[in-house]
Amino acid sequence: MSQSLQRALTILTELGEDSKSLDELATRLGVHKSTVLRLLQTMEAQRFVTHDSQHRYRLGSKLFELANRSLEGRDIRTVARPYLAELNALTKQTIHLAVLESGEAIYIDKLDATQSVRMYSRVGRPAPLHCTAVGKVLVSALPRSQWRGIAEGIEYKKFTDRTIADPDAYVAELERVAAQGYAEDHEEHETFVNCVGVPVRDGTGAVVAALSMSVPDMLLDHDQVLALLPRVRATAEAISAELGWSPSP
């Protein structure tokens, strides 16, 4: 790598941590201030850096523009697939990835359990909002002002004795999901199947998908499924990091 390019990259890395003065950058690079100033002027002309009235330098708008283009070009399913496969191999259970499209939760990927048991779900098929973990996660991530309208518009089809049956109960469930950061489908969509779901975020922190793990009760009971929640959550966080998300300290 050329010396000038190496120095320019070092400058960007330093400014990514905090704004810096010319003196601070020269000290960090171990070169004369005139050398650093020439690099900064070139980078500023291309909007990679900018400086304020106190002559402190910070990252420029060009970097954010390029970062956003890079993230927008990353397909969630493609990014998530290796992580879903790893979770599937570790847990041996059914793994789903879903997104919200036109008011419906749509499965965009699925890895079947390694056992002979198969779930009803299919890629491309909608997941009921009121009784699936992915549906609850996706709706709970929307502004609270939208919850009641969505709840009132749902046809509360009764899949099992545990299926949520009315708008008030659904809004209360959304509050619970938002507060705890994950959702459950405790035999609500399919009898004897438990499911946990968690959000996947992009670089802005917005929830762009929901990841879930579904397990028949004959393999793991409700408490055992909940015990695997940290692994499911870790997978969602790894996918989110690939999409540019960084949690607040």
Side-chain angles (χ1 to χ4, degrees):
M1 187 183 298
S2 75
Q3 192 174 57
S4 293
L5 179 56
Q6 180 66 63
R7 287 170 177 168
L9 293 175
T10 300
I11 288 172
L12 292 177
T13 301
E14 288 293 312
L15 297 183
E17 296 177 358
D18 197 4
S19 63
K20 298 282 192 309
S21 68
L22 179 60
D23 286 339
E24 289 171 330
L25 290 171
T27 299
R28 171 66 181 83
L29 290 173
V31 297
H32 195 273
K33 288 190 292 184
S34 62
T35 301
V36 180
L37 183 58
R38 283 196 296 272
L39 287 171
L40 287 169
Q41 288 173 335
T42 299
M43 296 164 72
E44 188 163 23
Q46 297 297 320
R47 296 190 291 115
F48 283 97
V49 302
T50 186
H51 72 275
D52 58 23
S53 58
Q54 281 74 48
H55 295 283
R56 293 189 66 82
Y57 290 85
R58 65 187 72 251
L59 296 179
S61 60
K62 187 68 172 182
L63 277 176
F64 300 109
E65 178 184 329
L66 292 174
N68 285 333
R69 286 182 182 175
S70 173
L71 293 173
E72 287 170 0
R74 305 206 71 182
D75 175 66
I76 295 174
R77 188 176 186 274
T78 301
V79 171
R81 178 42 93 105
Y83 296 99
L84 302 183
E86 182 180 14
L87 181 62
N88 176 251
L90 282 171
T91 64
K92 306 186 188 317
Q93 308 304 333
T94 302
I95 308 300
H96 293 108
L97 187 69
V99 297
L100 197 62
E101 291 184 1
S102 302
E104 292 186 311
I106 306 294
Y107 293 116
I108 61 171
D109 206 352
K110 176 189 178 184
L111 284 82
D112 283 311
T114 56
Q115 293 92 344
S116 60
V117 179
R118 293 291 182 267
M119 301 288 108
Y120 169 78
S121 56
R122 296 287 184 277
V123 172
R125 177 176 290 173
L129 296 179
H130 66 298
C131 61
T132 61
V134 293
K136 295 174 186 178
V137 166
L138 293 168
V139 176
S140 69
L142 296 174
R144 277 179 165 78
S145 59
Q146 297 182 25
W147 289 1
R148 174 57 63 173
I150 292 172
E152 296 286 353
I154 289 175
E155 178 185 350
Y156 290 90
K157 182 177 178 180
K158 193 77 171 172
F159 290 93
T160 76
D161 290 341
R162 292 179 177 268
T163 303
I164 292 173
D166 63 77
D168 288 341
Y170 186 56
V171 170
E173 179 72 354
L174 295 177
E175 290 285 2
R176 182 162 38 251
V177 172
Q180 65 191 15
Y182 69 92
E184 289 189 68
D185 161 9
H186 186 12
E187 301 183 34
E188 298 168 47
H189 188 212
E190 296 181 67
T191 305
F192 306 121
V193 174
N194 290 297
C195 180
V196 289
V198 294
V200 174
R201 302 178 184 275
D202 66 9
T204 69
V207 174
V208 292
L211 167 66
S212 71
M213 180 187 69
S214 300
V215 189
D217 205 26
M218 68 185 75
L219 298 177
L220 296 175
D221 64 24
H222 177 248
D223 290 339
Q224 290 172 314
V225 172
L226 280 181
L228 290 171
L229 177 62
R231 283 192 174 182
V232 178
R233 181 173 275 150
T235 299
E237 290 175 353
I239 298 169
S240 299
E242 285 276 357
L243 294 172
W245 178 67
S246 179
S248 302

